[in-house]
């Protein structure tokens, strides 16, 4: 961990794992988090540890982190408050963020929140119905590229109303599936740029003027 932190440059934010299940990890995650924090700070005391976001009902997992003694071992709270396929205001984005904020307050903390993973599975319109008919994951999560664009815009607008949120990161930049591909994994359609012709990329609706 010391060598990793030193190699990433001056004062990088370093995330501790990704979406561990606290119902399974419990005390073992706090042991890991303590060791991770020690290594990051040993490399450079100015480095920042970002507590990983959690899958599912995030504030329950976060409460377990605090309850089991994890408070001293991170500087920034990462969050993955997905609402897909619903748009942020329809899917309760602010309610999810407020639930996280309430846990922070419950334990007398004031750390900032980084929404470091959030997005929608946008599919090119001519492929959407075909993929939904063929795959369960697409029936659950896939939306049009236009709704992906709306979700992105509303995500940033709503986040700006929450003072504790410092940063928001859309997941993700470059998707795995070309826009005409038939891929079963719906998460292959989350990028803002998609493979196109002869190693070129195609900007998708969320990045268009």
């Amino acid at each position: 961990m010391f060598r990793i932190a030193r190699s990433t440059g001056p004062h990088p934010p370093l995330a501790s794992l990704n979406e561990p299940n606290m119902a399974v990890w419990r005390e073992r995650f706090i042991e890991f988090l303590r060791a991770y924090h020690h290594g990051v700070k040993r490399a450079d005391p100015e480095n920042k540890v970002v507590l990983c976001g959690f899958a599912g009902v995030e504030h329950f997992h976060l409460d377990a982190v605090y309850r089991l003694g994890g408070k001293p071992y991170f500087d920034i709270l990462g969050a993955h408050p997905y609402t897909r396929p619903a748009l942020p205001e329809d899917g309760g984005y602010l309610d999810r963020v407020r639930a996280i904020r309430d846990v922070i307050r419950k334990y007398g903390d004031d750390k900032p929140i980084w929404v470091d993973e959030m997005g929608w599975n946008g599919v090119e319109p001519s492929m959407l119905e075909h993929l939904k008919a063929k795959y369960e994951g697409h029936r659950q999560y896939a939306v049009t590229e236009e709704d992906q664009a709306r979700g992105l815009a509303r995500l940033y607008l709503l986040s700006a109303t929450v003072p504790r949120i410092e940063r928001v990161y859309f997941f993700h930049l470059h998707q795995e599936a070309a826009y005409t591909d038939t891929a079963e994994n719906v998460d292959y359609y989350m990028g803002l740029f998609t493979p196109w012709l002869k190693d070129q990329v195609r900007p998708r609706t969320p990045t268009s003027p």
Side-chain angles (χ1 to χ4, degrees), residues 133-201:
K134 193 169 185 179
Y135 301 119
E136 177 61 28
H138 287 271
R139 287 193 288 274
Q140 289 185 357
Y141 296 117
V143 299
T144 64
E145 289 185 340
E146 288 76 13
D147 275 345
Q148 185 185 34
R150 294 185 186 100
L152 176 61
R154 295 176 187 188
L155 167 65
Y156 282 94
L157 288 170
L158 288 172
S159 298
T161 69
V162 183
R164 195 175 292 275
I165 294 179
E166 284 190 347
R167 298 188 186 184
V168 177
Y169 294 95
F170 187 82
F171 182 81
H172 54 97
L173 182 62
H174 192 279
Q175 75 179 32
E176 290 83 357
Y179 77 104
T180 55
D181 277 359
T182 301
E184 181 175 0
N185 189 336
V186 68
D187 288 348
Y188 283 5
Y189 297 85
M190 295 189 76
L192 299 187
F193 291 84
T194 180
W196 199 27
L197 302 174
K198 296 181 179 179
D199 299 322
Q200 300 179 52
V201 294

Side-chain angles (χ1 to χ4, degrees), residues 2 9 26 35 41 47-48 51 71 96 106 117-118 120 127 132 134-135 158 164 176 178 195 199 208:
F2 175 74
R26 300 182 65 80
K41 297 296 185 178
N47 286 341
K48 302 296 183 185
L51 180 66
K71 178 179 176 180
R96 293 168 188 253
K106 173 182 174 181
E117 187 177 318
M118 182 75 175
W120 288 265
M127 298 292 293
K132 283 189 172 185
K134 193 169 185 179
Y135 301 119
L158 288 172
R164 195 175 292 275
E176 290 83 357
D199 299 322
S208 301

Side-chain angles (χ1 to χ4, degrees), residues 51-135:
L51 180 66
C52 54
F54 296 94
V57 185
E58 277 200 283
H59 65 278
F60 288 161
H61 296 299
L62 179 61
D63 192 276
V65 171
Y66 278 105
R67 188 175 68 254
L68 295 170
K71 178 179 176 180
Y73 305 123
F74 64 97
D75 306 292
I76 299 159
L77 195 149
H80 300 174
Y82 280 101
T83 64
R84 59 180 185 163
L87 297 179
E89 64 272 39
D90 300 325
Y93 171 69
L94 288 180
D95 291 337
R96 293 168 188 253
V97 171
R98 290 183 185 117
I100 292 169
R101 181 195 60 192
D102 289 346
V103 173
I104 297 172
R105 289 176 173 173
K106 173 182 174 181
Y107 289 93
D109 210 352
D110 61 355
K111 293 185 176 80
I113 297 171
W114 287 10
V115 177
D116 54 3
E117 187 177 318
M118 182 75 175
W120 288 265
N121 309 79
V123 177
E124 201 274 337
S126 66
M127 298 292 293
L128 183 60
E129 291 309 314
H130 169 70
L131 290 170
K132 283 189 172 185
K134 193 169 185 179
Y135 301 119

